[in-house]
Amino acid sequence: MTGASGSPRRTFEWIDDAIPRYESFFTVEEHRERGRALAADRDHVEYEECGESAGGETLWAVTVGEGSRSALLFGAPHPNEPIGSMTIDFLLHELATNDELRASLDYEFVCVPVADPDGVRLNEGWFDGPFTLSNYALNFYRTPPDEQVEATFPVEREDYSYDDPTPKTRMLADFIETHRPEFIYSFHNAAFGGCYYYLTEPLEPLHDALASLPEEYGVPLHRGEAEKFDAEQYDNAIYQLWTFADMYEDTRDGDEDSEDALIGGNAYDYASRFEDDVLEFVVELPYFHDPRIGDRTELDRTREEVIREGVRHRQTLAEEMRRGVEAVAEYLPDTPMAREAEGAVYHFEDEYEAKLEWAESAAETDESATVAQQIDERFLKQYHLLTYLGMLLRSIDHAAMSADEEARETLVETKAALEDAFHERIGEMRDHLDYETIPIWKLVAIQARAGLLCLDYRQNRTDT
């Protein structure tokens, strides 16, 4: 139900006073212990251990609420994205202790604060700061696609099937089969930029509220180029969530790159087997932002020109990374980090070529570019590549620890060259950007309020 103007019935502004002023992100162990302690303290909270991850980490979930509907919340599906884990922890404690809030939401909340504990462990080096571009990138870890939670749900199509989920994905799939959620909140976040949203369907009555929410905390909407350059946009900074069905259709259209990338589905793909009216919702938030990411002032340049310049700069860095990978590939350890760092180099090279082709052919790229689009293309998307360079540097360090003298010499020389490339680009960003680190509590507030807005709307949308 919405108000007469189309605004949400409730805005949940009181959350600002309830959220702790966090100084760091909780570790995997801290999240697990906090969930266990909450359940021990509250009879209406259930803590459940759900086996082990591939790396031997305990998988667990916490459930609260006795509503007639079910909501599945899971954090850190990408392990470099811990904001959502903090948001789930806050919501769990609030729902457990705030009887009025819990009673007002007709949901059972099945919560997995850390969906990928193996990967999160490899990011904990930056969780307590310093929160800088360099420290984040040099302690960054991203799981390879074929091991990611939101890419390995079972799927079945006429001429394609996938049924090899990781243990962490199997846990979520079991919850989906058992609880049949109608609302899935998958907590993701970007590293640098502004706020934007993904939905599996438009929610027009909420679009204005969602667009204005981050500004209350000094976080701009992301006005640069879309993360997926040809994504369907429902509204300002609100995009359609890409699903397996979309990727599959690309292969039917003859896109060989998409066919090679097919693995499994996301949570929505799997949940829609059991519940027709399911929605998946994602709020992408940055740790760092430059106010210009929200600046729509037009430049005397086209979007195509700005995209081309940005891609060319990234291609130069990707070429340096590829030369480094080729020099040390035979020595790199057989770890997920090394495999992802190595594979990402070739993935991004292909992606950049595809983006150039799109920019040359899409009618909308003939429009004037904005300040936000220029900042995004020139610097923020390059920073994304730098995080993968950070993984490559860590993998080279790992290899050097057990290498013989000849191999170590190659590894050390390659690492030195790549470190020069890394610090040159980081220095360039510091010189050209006026970036700020966003306080954790503000990011949690945005994600918590956005999720509650959606939950409240969906349970009351049939009211008069």
Side-chain angles (χ1 to χ4, degrees), residues 23-25 123-140 287-288 383 430 435 437-438 440:
E23 294 185 358
S24 61
F25 292 97
N123 279 277
E124 289 180 353
W126 63 268
F127 276 15
D128 60 355
F131 298 113
T132 64
L133 298 180
S134 180
N135 194 48
Y136 173 77
L138 291 174
N139 288 280
F140 170 95
Y287 307 111
F288 313 106
Y383 183 66
R430 291 195 188 110
Y435 83 89
T437 303
I438 304 168
I440 297 170

Side-chain angles (χ1 to χ4, degrees), residues 309-330:
E309 178 187 60
V311 169
R312 292 305 185 203
H313 279 281
R314 296 197 293 281
Q315 285 178 322
T316 299
L317 176 58
E319 288 169 5
E320 292 179 71
M321 291 172 62
R322 176 169 48 79
R323 288 196 296 270
V325 164
E326 291 171 350
V328 300
E330 63 182 298

Side-chain angles (χ1 to χ4, degrees), residues 99-152:
D99 296 339
E100 181 180 354
L101 175 65
R102 191 172 66 254
S104 73
L105 295 169
D106 185 26
Y107 287 91
E108 172 196 44
F109 293 89
V110 180
C111 301
V112 178
V114 183
D116 183 1
D118 297 332
V120 171
R121 288 281 193 194
L122 295 173
N123 279 277
E124 289 180 353
W126 63 268
F127 276 15
D128 60 355
F131 298 113
T132 64
L133 298 180
S134 180
N135 194 48
Y136 173 77
L138 291 174
N139 288 280
F140 170 95
Y141 170 70
R142 179 87 157 198
T143 311
D146 61 354
E147 299 176 27
Q148 289 180 11
V149 170
E150 285 262 66
T152 54

Side-chain angles (χ1 to χ4, degrees), residues 253-380:
D253 293 336
D255 187 332
E256 294 182 1
D257 290 337
S258 294
E259 188 169 3
D260 292 341
L262 287 180
I263 306 172
N266 61 18
Y268 171 83
D269 291 313
Y270 197 67
S272 59
R273 291 185 177 187
F274 308 101
E275 171 63 52
D276 291 335
D277 190 27
V278 62
L279 172 78
E280 183 164 353
F281 180 55
V282 173
V283 183
E284 294 273 9
L285 286 167
Y287 307 111
F288 313 106
H289 83 94
D290 183 301
R292 287 174 291 177
I293 198 59
D295 188 344
R296 288 179 288 175
T297 302
E298 291 188 354
L299 303 172
D300 189 23
R301 305 180 66 193
T302 66
R303 282 177 67 190
E304 181 184 350
E305 290 173 320
V306 165
I307 289 169
R308 183 173 298 280
E309 178 187 60
V311 169
R312 292 305 185 203
H313 279 281
R314 296 197 293 281
Q315 285 178 322
T316 299
L317 176 58
E319 288 169 5
E320 292 179 71
M321 291 172 62
R322 176 169 48 79
R323 288 196 296 270
V325 164
E326 291 171 350
V328 300
E330 63 182 298
Y331 309 119
L332 292 178
D334 184 19
T335 62
M337 182 179 293
R339 290 198 301 273
E340 175 64 353
E342 182 176 357
V345 172
Y346 303 101
H347 165 78
F348 284 122
E349 287 185 332
D350 292 341
E351 179 185 280
Y352 299 155
E353 288 297 334
K355 186 161 190 177
L356 287 175
E357 291 176 9
W358 172 80
E360 290 172 357
S361 60
E364 58 264 38
T365 59
D366 291 334
E367 302 166 356
S368 294
T370 65
V371 170
Q373 289 165 342
Q374 183 181 49
I375 289 292
D376 185 27
E377 279 294 330
R378 179 64 184 84
F379 296 108
L380 306 194

Side-chain angles (χ1 to χ4, degrees), residues 216-233:
E216 295 183 35
Y217 300 90
V219 178
L221 283 182
H222 187 84
R223 301 289 193 175
E225 294 290 345
E227 179 182 18
K228 187 179 185 304
F229 54 81
D230 55 354
E232 179 180 348
Q233 187 166 357

Side-chain angles (χ1 to χ4, degrees), residues 32-230:
R32 186 162 47 236
E33 289 305 314
R34 287 175 63 82
R36 185 184 288 120
L38 182 65
D41 188 54
R42 301 280 170 168
D43 291 339
H44 53 271
V45 179
E46 179 185 358
Y47 171 90
E48 177 185 2
E49 294 192 347
C50 311
E52 290 188 350
S53 69
E57 290 279 355
T58 299
L59 300 171
W60 80 97
V62 185
T63 303
V64 62
E66 298 179 350
S68 64
R69 312 159 193 264
S70 181
L72 174 63
L73 285 64
F74 56 95
H78 292 146
N80 57 295
E81 302 175 356
I83 298 171
S85 299
M86 304 296 288
T87 305
I88 292 175
D89 178 86
F90 166 72
L91 287 173
L92 274 172
H93 283 78
E94 196 62 35
L95 288 164
T97 58
N98 186 332
D99 296 339
E100 181 180 354
L101 175 65
R102 191 172 66 254
S104 73
L105 295 169
D106 185 26
Y107 287 91
E108 172 196 44
F109 293 89
V110 180
C111 301
V112 178
V114 183
D116 183 1
D118 297 332
V120 171
R121 288 281 193 194
L122 295 173
N123 279 277
E124 289 180 353
W126 63 268
F127 276 15
D128 60 355
F131 298 113
T132 64
L133 298 180
S134 180
N135 194 48
Y136 173 77
L138 291 174
N139 288 280
F140 170 95
Y141 170 70
R142 179 87 157 198
T143 311
D146 61 354
E147 299 176 27
Q148 289 180 11
V149 170
E150 285 262 66
T152 54
F153 280 89
V155 292
E156 189 74 40
R157 289 295 186 277
E158 295 86 353
D159 56 353
Y160 183 86
S161 66
Y162 176 88
D163 192 13
D164 189 24
T166 65
K168 57 201 175 190
T169 308
R170 184 70 259 172
M171 170 185 64
L172 293 173
D174 288 344
F175 284 134
I176 288 171
E177 292 179 32
T178 303
H179 297 274
R180 309 294 172 92
E182 70 167 45
F183 182 80
I184 297 174
Y185 199 169
S186 176
F187 289 85
H188 292 260
N189 62 259
F192 204 146
C195 175
Y196 55 104
Y197 303 90
Y198 286 113
L199 289 158
T200 45
E201 64 186 66
L203 296 177
E204 287 93 346
L206 293 185
H207 288 182
D208 287 347
L210 292 174
S212 62
L213 177 60
E215 297 286 357
E216 295 183 35
Y217 300 90
V219 178
L221 283 182
H222 187 84
R223 301 289 193 175
E225 294 290 345
E227 179 182 18
K228 187 179 185 304
F229 54 81
D230 55 354

